[in-house]
Amino acid sequence: MNDDHDGWRVLARADWPEEGETAPLPSVPGFMGSRLVPLTVHVAGLCLGRAYGRSPATPERSERTGVLLVTARGDVENGIAIARAVDGGRRASPLLFFQSIPNSVLGHITGKWGLGGPVLCTSPAGDPWAEALEICRGLIESGDADEVLAITAEQGCLEGESDTARARLLAPSPESATGSGVPLRGAAPHENHPHDRRSER
């Protein structure tokens, strides 16, 4: 799996599974059915905890932290449950809001950690991590974020497949501001971001 971070500072990282992790992930209060939720919450919490310590993070750091989830399969279990209900002529439970799960789980994460940057979900057309880095670049180039928590998460659906996820808290490397690495126009380290718009709020 491609894990290229050229042009980025990786401030913290987490994966599922990490070495020695085999236990099922705990459920998340307020959500039902979907394995995508605990998978995403787990890697995000590990990554943010390694960067920020306890939740919520300090506003000085987290106010301009964006969150991105890239998932090709999305919420598989609730999607299957709804399809079976429709095929069987039954009314689908209103609790099975599978189309909203990716956005909702990011709302859970940003609320817990006090993250104030943009929140995005996407289904990749090609390589998920390459797409994640491209979107992160756009968020920083536009001045909407200084750091981005990039998450990819997929449920194992085929025989022999396992659930996998990774989270990286990314910021542009110092070299990016000088034109090498990821071409982040105008990007600078967090403390001196030229597009910081806190004073405009």
Side-chain angles (χ1 to χ4, degrees), residues 46-172:
L46 275 182
C47 187
L48 292 172
R50 290 165 179 171
Y52 298 153
R54 295 182 179 180
S55 63
T58 59
E60 294 80 7
R61 180 81 181 273
S62 63
E63 183 178 332
R64 291 179 51 78
T65 298
V67 186
L68 166 67
L69 172 61
V70 177
T71 174
R73 291 173 175 170
D75 177 15
V76 174
E77 282 122 335
N78 285 340
I80 291 173
I82 290 175
R84 287 175 175 170
V86 171
D87 290 345
R90 304 185 306 275
R91 180 182 177 184
S93 169
L95 297 177
L96 301 178
F97 52 111
F98 77 104
Q99 291 174 318
S100 300
I101 282 291
N103 287 306
S104 298
V105 70
L106 293 191
H108 173 88
I109 293 166
T110 57
K112 178 178 180 180
W113 287 90
L115 308 181
V119 177
L120 299 95
C121 301
T122 185
S123 181
D127 177 73
W129 193 244
E131 185 164 315
L133 292 179
E134 187 68 21
I135 295 171
C136 290
R137 178 171 58 188
L139 291 175
I140 295 202
E141 283 186 333
S142 67
D144 291 326
D146 292 338
E147 301 172 358
V148 182
L149 175 65
I151 305 166
T152 59
E154 298 296 345
Q155 298 174 73
C157 298
L158 304 177
E159 184 177 354
E161 280 188 334
S162 301
D163 296 347
T164 59
R166 61 177 154 177
R168 303 288 186 268
L169 185 61
L170 300 172

